[in-house]
Amino acid sequence: MFGLRRSIKKIFSGKKGESPASEKTPEDIIRSLFKTKYWNFKSLLSINNTILEIMSEMELALQGNKKFSMEFIRANCISISVNIYKLIEKINDISGHRYETLYHAFADIQYKINQTLEDRGKSIEGELVLSIEEINKDSSKHTGSKMANLGEIMNMTDLSVPHGFVVTATAYNLFLDHSALQKKINQQLQSVDIEDIKMLEIAGSNIQKLIMESPVPPELERAILEEYRRLEEKTEKGVKVSMRSSALGEDSQNSSFAGQYHTELNVSYKTLINSYKIILASKYSPRAITYRFNKGFRDEDIVMCVGCMTMVESVSSGVMYSKDPEDIHNDLIFINAVPGLGKSVVEGSISPDLFVTSKGNTIRLLKKEIHVKNQKILSFSNKELHSIELNREEQDKPAITDYQCLSLSKIAVILENHFRMPQDIEWAIEKDGSVKILQSRPLKQLDKEDSNIKDTFNIRVQNKIILNGGIAASPGVACGPAFILNSADEIKQFPKGAVLVAKNSLPQWATLLNRAVAVVTDRGGISGHLATVSREFSIPALFDTLVATDRIKNDDIITVDTYARKVYEGKAEALLRESSARGISTIKGSPVYITLKRILKHIAPLNLIDPKGDNFTPDGCHTHHDITRFCHEKAVKEMFDFGKNNRKIKAGKRLIINDVPTQWSIVDLGDGLKESKGKDTVRLDNIASSPMLALWEGMTAVEWDGPPQIDTRGFMSIMVESTMNSDLYASSRSSYTQNNCAIISKNFCNLSCRFGYHYSIVQTFVSDMPRENYIRFCFKGGAADHDRKFRRMKLIEEILTSHDFQVEINEDYMNANIEGYNKFFTINCVKILGYLTMHTRQLDMIMGNPARAAYYKEKLLKDISFWFPRPAQSEVAQSEV
């Protein structure tokens, strides 16, 4: 495959009007090759930076408290994969396709990432539809906890549950696969900014449209309708049902999904299939998408099972808690009740009656608060729900009797004991007085340390009290500007960090809980959906204040203290200082968090540490970080070796005109020179290459004193070496005797030079991006004997290592490297190399004399310290490569 691609590139690589390679001189070809290599190299550095930035963003998301979505993971995985592929292409372009096996390493890593991204978890195959009688709490992975719990109650207790059935997880997956919906859904969610309400609404609307327009597979439609017929046999012909979500993960201990999905009431046989799709589509309401994002759920993990239960014509209904959600130590039961259907309780549209009873050997009614209820919701034989206005006598009448209150309390105790944890229970009382259980889920309570917070506040607050009273639906203290929401149209205008103030505690306000610091409402109770979700996200919520929207003004800074049930004017500094910081990460340990953690194992770890290690090969690349490191290292080496081995470049060289006569040659790669006059020469002030200018500054900052005075032994050493090493003769054609040459661009310099009997090569790239910056330096030669040359090497090594270079010496050959430092530090190191290149020439001749050697060492260190002082530690800013 790779050979074919190479052949195609060769066929189409020639440009129109370009001279055949045979008409070019060898120098022209070398120069052209180097230019091509350089611009591929520069592109590689840019791609390398992009990859490392994406990698950092993903790692920071995992380490911090900032929430992220599955779409964040997918988008970054796609981006990093595309750039890794480009990186591999670039290193092969630079190297003459010597590293094509990197494609295989990339494919192996990408396969593992894709497997993790596509993992829906263990899908349990089974029936498309099951009756409630066939399921129990162990069925939750197939039916969702909501319906599984109802099946458990029906089969394991003496309590009454409406007849019905559940459309299972198998059915949901069949529906998605039938029209390849999950891929289309992911595409819609991919570009959504969760903070942008408008984008969220558009994406949600598009997905809901996709679902509603997709056909239900024939076998699924048949299974649903057949189960409805069986339900008719158990109840009555044409029985109306309620349809509600029972998604996997819903109604769990840590994630209730309260009020996130739609419920269809009074559904008939004719509308059964369409209602099923409506429930599935409600998964993509803005508030449901936001909830999943804030809780760290992957979209594909929320499998929408749908429960169908016979409608209950309730005379009263409501929600009860088997414990106070704000106090884990008490033995109290809280019952909220309204006349008619309980829709108004969970929606928070009216203030329900409150009954508080005690547990123990005898259940006793301790407290009741009867509120004015101006309406009730009833269902009739047709599909519509009707809101009935209540007369004055009915408005003040308790929704349930004291006897019914005690009966409900006994049910709460039974369910808490059965499920072995506090329960949040929806109930309904029929005309004959029988109680039907509509839902029972774990009750979200405060953590132990949070439950004690309210006892620790004994702060004297000087701020004026705006309002006092209401119900503490979720504990905490928060401060921010007030934003009064009058309608859903204003959701988009809600600013981050504001206090949400509204008349009713509607479930739709849950969309804003990732932006609000607190919630205050006129109406609503602790059992409503918004209260439940507020507690899950630790957002202070004060409901049923009656006067919040009258007393609080838009944009006023207010402090909400739900422990004291007060709202203060301005910022209550003392109270805020003493309150515990919320800072709870709701995403850690969530499915999205776990997915990112698993994926990063194939992206972030760096195994290729040592470029000289046996594993520093394409086969040794087990992560994307490994591939990035390998490509960067090999690209730098390719550039260095090419410049080192092709110092005969003549095409385009220009002499630098200075006060000092030189034999410097310049090869411009495209942006290394400003506009200059003359074809063959260029002035120093027309050079635009920052590393070249830094090298020149280092060479000329301190005037060279000339060769050191040679002692007798040093002179004899040179004579012996000269007769034995033909490379030292000026007439030699060895690479040691070539003219000084600098190949430059704005950020790059590859300089090879010879002074006297030694030569050096400096290659450096310097930019504003620390991870791009590097210096490679090699030094060889000298006229003295081996011992003196080695001592000079050790002197240079000591100086370079004090400036963070990594140095290797092999006989009289030195390699030194540094990378990953900021522009200021790197330029300073380039200047030092320029200085050493000029001022260490011929020092090998005196290195046999300890006193002379010590003198020159002190001089070199003193000059460098004065002219090129090491930057402060805060200015070094080494980056991770």
Side-chain angles (χ1 to χ4, degrees):
M1 179 181 74
F2 303 127
L4 177 61
R5 183 171 60 243
R6 224 171 26 242
S7 301
I8 293 171
K9 282 186 176 180
K10 285 181 180 179
I11 293 170
F12 293 101
S13 61
K15 295 181 181 178
K16 189 176 180 180
E18 191 177 76
S19 301
S22 60
E23 297 179 10
K24 295 181 179 180
T25 66
E27 290 82 5
D28 288 334
I29 295 171
I30 292 172
R31 181 172 182 271
S32 177
L33 281 173
F34 201 98
K35 286 188 74 171
T36 301
K37 279 180 177 288
Y38 170 72
W39 289 107
N40 279 325
F41 173 68
K42 192 170 182 182
S43 177
L44 181 144
L45 290 181
S46 177
I47 296 167
N48 180 79
N49 271 333
T50 300
I51 292 168
L52 293 175
E53 285 168 4
I54 297 168
M55 204 178 296
S56 296
E57 188 176 358
M58 295 174 81
E59 288 182 298
L60 285 172
L62 197 68
Q63 295 165 5
N65 284 330
K66 185 178 178 181
K67 298 180 181 71
F68 55 89
S69 65
M70 197 62 202
E71 286 62 51
F72 165 86
I73 298 174
R74 284 199 188 90
N76 280 295
C77 283
I78 291 171
S79 183
I80 207 167
S81 298
V82 168
N83 281 285
I84 288 286
Y85 192 85
K86 289 180 182 177
L87 195 74
I88 296 172
E89 286 188 316
K90 289 299 176 186
I91 189 59
N92 278 293
D93 287 341
I94 292 168
S95 67
H97 298 274
R98 282 204 297 277
Y99 304 111
E100 291 203 336
T101 52
L102 280 172
Y103 288 106
H104 301 306
F106 168 75
D108 289 342
I109 296 165
Q110 200 56 38
Y111 174 78
K112 294 171 184 174
I113 290 172
N114 290 339
Q115 286 291 100
T116 305
L117 284 172
E118 294 168 8
D119 178 24
R120 286 190 191 175
K122 294 182 179 178
S123 178
I124 300 177
E125 294 301 321
E127 300 293 331
L128 298 174
V129 180
L130 291 168
S131 69
I132 292 181
E133 290 89 348
E134 296 178 278
I135 62 178
N136 56 39
K137 65 180 180 181
D138 296 328
S139 309
S140 60
K141 290 184 179 179
H142 194 45
T143 65
S145 294
K146 184 180 291 182
M147 293 303 293
N149 286 352
L150 287 175
E152 177 81 5
I153 295 168
M154 175 176 278
N155 291 308
M156 300 297 176
T157 70
D158 294 328
L159 304 179
S160 182
V161 173
H163 287 289
F165 59 90
V166 57
V167 188
T168 66
T170 302
Y172 177 77
N173 288 329
L174 176 64
F175 176 74
L176 289 187
D177 294 342
H178 187 67
S179 301
L181 279 176
Q182 189 63 60
K183 185 176 180 181
K184 297 173 186 176
I185 290 167
N186 292 343
Q187 289 171 347
Q188 286 289 332
L189 294 174
Q190 193 81 33
S191 58
V192 173
D193 178 0
I194 202 73
E195 300 287 347
D196 190 325
I197 298 295
K198 187 174 182 181
M199 282 183 68
L200 199 61
E201 286 180 346
I202 292 171
S205 177
N206 290 340
I207 296 170
Q208 289 177 331
K209 185 178 179 183
L210 277 172
I211 291 171
M212 295 307 298
E213 291 177 351
S214 297
V216 174
E219 62 268 42
L220 175 56
E221 181 173 347
R222 188 164 53 250
I224 292 172
L225 295 179
E226 286 177 358
E227 192 61 38
Y228 176 83
R229 293 297 188 198
R230 282 191 282 271
L231 181 62
E232 284 184 314
E233 293 173 5
K234 297 173 188 175
T235 54
E236 60 181 355
K237 186 72 173 176
V239 62
K240 297 294 176 61
V241 298
S242 66
M243 297 187 73
R244 61 197 310 193
S245 67
S246 181
L248 301 195
E250 187 178 2
D251 285 356
S252 64
Q253 189 167 6
N254 295 317
S255 304
S256 68
F257 286 80
Q260 302 308 306
Y261 306 131
H262 185 67
T263 296
E264 283 281 289
L265 301 177
N266 275 1
V267 179
S268 65
Y269 175 84
K270 291 182 180 180
T271 58
L272 206 59
I273 302 302
N274 192 62
S275 295
Y276 172 69
K277 291 201 289 185
I278 289 173
I279 306 302
L280 301 191
S282 73
K283 178 181 173 183
Y284 298 100
S285 68
R287 69 171 181 260
I289 297 172
T290 304
Y291 182 93
R292 289 195 295 277
F293 169 78
N294 287 327
K295 297 293 284 187
F297 282 103
R298 305 188 308 172
D299 180 75
E300 53 267 53
D301 287 335
I302 306 303
V303 176
M304 289 289 282
C305 308
V306 176
C308 300
M309 296 188 296
T310 56
M311 286 290 297
V312 177
E313 292 188 19
S314 54
V315 293
S316 57
S317 53
V319 175
M320 60 180 169
Y321 295 157
S322 65
K323 263 193 166 83
D324 181 353
E326 293 187 30
D327 190 345
I328 62 174
H329 301 296
N330 68 37
D331 286 320
L332 303 179
I333 297 170
F334 287 71
I335 302 172
N336 284 143
V338 294
L341 294 177
K343 190 172 186 285
S344 56
V345 177
V346 295
E347 287 187 351
S349 56
I350 66 172
S351 299
D353 293 342
L354 171 65
F355 297 81
V356 181
T357 62
S358 68
K359 297 179 188 175
N361 295 328
T362 303
I363 294 176
R364 293 182 298 114
L365 177 60
L366 301 179
K367 174 185 177 183
K368 58 182 176 180
E369 294 177 2
I370 308 303
H371 296 119
V372 175
K373 302 168 288 297
N374 53 17
Q375 62 179 3
K376 65 178 176 180
I377 299 174
L378 297 175
S379 64
F380 292 99
S381 57
N382 59 18
K383 187 177 186 297
E384 296 298 320
L385 299 178
H386 292 267
S387 179
I388 307 297
E389 295 293 327
L390 298 178
N391 59 41
R392 185 62 190 173
E393 182 181 348
E394 291 176 313
Q395 288 179 6
D396 295 329
K397 185 179 178 182
I400 57 175
T401 66
D402 291 356
Y403 175 79
Q404 289 172 326
C405 167
L406 297 175
S407 297
L408 287 169
S409 297
K410 291 176 183 177
I411 292 173
V413 172
I414 292 170
L415 291 174
E416 181 177 283
N417 290 338
H418 182 81
F419 289 107
R420 298 181 180 179
M421 63 180 64
Q423 294 292 294
D424 172 353
I425 305 154
E426 284 187 32
W427 53 269
I429 298 177
E430 294 188 291
K431 291 178 181 178
D432 61 3
S434 61
V435 178
K436 296 286 186 183
I437 303 302
L438 307 179
Q439 175 180 286
S440 187
R441 63 187 175 200
L443 174 64
K444 174 63 178 176
Q445 290 186 284
L446 284 176
D447 292 334
K448 184 176 180 180
E449 58 183 54
D450 287 338
S451 69
N452 293 326
I453 290 175
K454 58 185 177 183
D455 298 325
T456 67
F457 287 119
N458 190 20
I459 308 300
R460 188 170 183 179
V461 181
Q462 302 297 326
N463 302 59
K464 179 183 176 182
I465 298 173
I466 298 175
L467 63 87
N468 188 358
I471 298 171
S474 178
V477 178
C479 176
F483 189 95
I484 300 175
L485 270 175
N486 295 305
S487 69
D489 294 335
E490 296 174 345
I491 286 178
K492 299 172 189 174
Q493 303 166 25
F494 189 87
K496 191 163 187 173
V499 177
L500 193 164
V501 182
K503 288 186 179 297
N504 300 314
S505 55
L506 303 178
Q508 67 199 79
W509 302 151
T511 306
L512 298 172
L513 291 185
N514 63 325
R515 303 167 76 183
V517 295
V519 184
V520 183
T521 68
D522 292 349
R523 299 283 183 182
I526 61 171
S527 55
H529 287 324
L530 187 64
T532 300
V533 179
S534 295
R535 288 192 292 273
E536 286 180 26
F537 291 120
S538 302
I539 303 293
L542 186 64
F543 292 171
D544 209 39
T545 64
L546 305 179
V547 294
T549 54
D550 291 330
R551 301 268 184 90
I552 299 171
K553 306 301 179 186
N554 250 333
D555 298 324
D556 283 356
I557 301 297
I558 59 174
T559 299
V560 180
D561 177 8
T562 66
Y563 299 117
R565 296 186 298 167
K566 293 177 181 177
V567 176
Y568 298 95
E569 186 179 86
K571 189 173 184 179
E573 298 278 5
L575 189 61
L576 290 165
R577 274 197 305 270
E578 292 298 323
S579 66
S580 7
R582 189 166 76 237
I584 299 171
S585 175
T586 57
I587 201 165
K588 192 168 184 178
S590 69
V592 169
Y593 180 92
I594 292 168
T595 299
L596 179 58
K597 191 173 183 179
R598 289 172 60 196
I599 283 174
L600 277 175
K601 288 180 180 179
H602 307 300
I603 292 177
L606 182 61
N607 306 297
L608 303 188
I609 305 297
D610 181 10
K612 292 183 170 55
D614 293 339
N615 69 330
F616 207 90
T617 64
D619 290 341
C621 294
H622 300 299
T623 67
H624 282 337
H625 202 168
D626 286 340
I627 294 178
T628 305
R629 180 74 178 100
F630 181 87
C631 291
H632 182 274
E633 179 65 27
K634 293 301 179 183
V636 171
K637 187 176 186 300
E638 288 287 336
M639 294 298 294
F640 186 79
D641 289 347
F642 193 87
K644 174 183 173 183
N645 298 326
N646 293 282
R647 293 192 298 279
K648 296 182 181 180
I649 299 175
K650 295 179 182 178
K653 72 178 181 179
R654 299 176 179 185
L655 298 177
I656 301 176
I657 300 174
N658 292 290
D659 295 335
V660 181
T662 63
Q663 293 296 315
W664 290 91
S665 301
I666 299 294
V667 177
D668 180 24
L669 296 174
D671 58 1
L673 297 176
K674 305 173 187 176
E675 291 186 9
S676 58
K677 296 178 181 179
K679 292 183 178 180
D680 300 322
T681 61
V682 62
R683 297 190 62 83
L684 184 63
D685 58 9
N686 279 328
I687 292 179
S689 172
S690 58
M692 178 63 199
L693 292 173
L695 277 167
W696 188 260
E697 183 181 338
M699 291 178 179
T700 58
V702 182
E703 186 176 351
W704 185 47
D705 293 337
Q709 184 178 354
I710 307 174
D711 59 23
T712 305
R713 290 184 180 179
F715 178 75
M716 291 303 298
S717 168
I718 293 170
M719 295 301 294
V720 171
E721 185 71 12
S722 297
T723 59
M724 297 181 66
N725 190 346
S726 61
D727 282 339
L728 298 180
Y729 290 108
S731 60
S732 170
R733 293 186 176 274
S734 162
S735 60
Y736 293 179
T737 62
Q738 302 308 313
N739 291 333
N740 303 327
C741 178
I743 305 169
I744 64 171
S745 77
K746 183 179 179 181
N747 305 106
F748 177 82
C749 179
N750 182 290
L751 179 143
S752 58
C753 62
R754 175 180 174 180
F755 290 111
Y757 291 128
H758 75 260
Y759 84 94
S760 62
I761 298 175
V762 179
Q763 179 170 291
T764 179
F765 190 93
V766 185
S767 73
D768 292 326
M769 300 293 293
R771 60 169 64 103
E772 289 183 347
N773 299 337
Y774 73 89
I775 305 171
R776 288 205 169 187
F777 172 65
C778 77
F779 182 89
K780 181 176 175 63
D785 59 79
H786 176 270
D787 183 59
R788 286 175 168 81
K789 286 189 289 186
F790 184 75
R791 289 181 184 182
R792 178 174 62 175
M793 289 286 188
K794 295 301 289 183
L795 170 60
I796 296 172
E797 178 187 31
E798 184 179 344
I799 293 170
L800 291 181
T801 53
S802 70
H803 285 81
D804 296 358
F805 279 84
Q806 293 182 338
V807 181
E808 291 183 0
I809 297 175
N810 185 8
E811 299 293 333
D812 66 340
Y813 186 86
M814 170 186 287
N815 266 318
N817 304 285
I818 191 170
E819 61 181 309
Y821 286 80
N822 69 12
K823 184 176 182 179
F824 180 75
F825 186 84
T826 307
I827 284 289
N828 196 61
C829 288
V830 173
K831 292 176 184 178
I832 292 171
L833 286 179
Y835 172 85
L836 290 174
T837 299
M838 180 65 69
H839 289 271
T840 58
R841 49 183 168 159
Q842 300 187 24
L843 280 188
D844 54 331
M845 296 185 294
I846 57 90
M847 294 306 288
N849 185 323
R852 299 289 303 283
Y855 165 79
Y856 277 102
K857 175 183 176 181
E858 183 180 352
K859 181 184 184 307
L860 293 176
L861 292 172
K862 185 176 180 181
D863 284 348
I864 291 172
S865 177
F866 180 79
W867 291 99
F868 320 112
R870 180 184 174 92
Q873 191 64 32
S874 60
E875 296 177 308
V876 173
Q878 185 176 14
S879 70
E880 292 185 8
V881 178

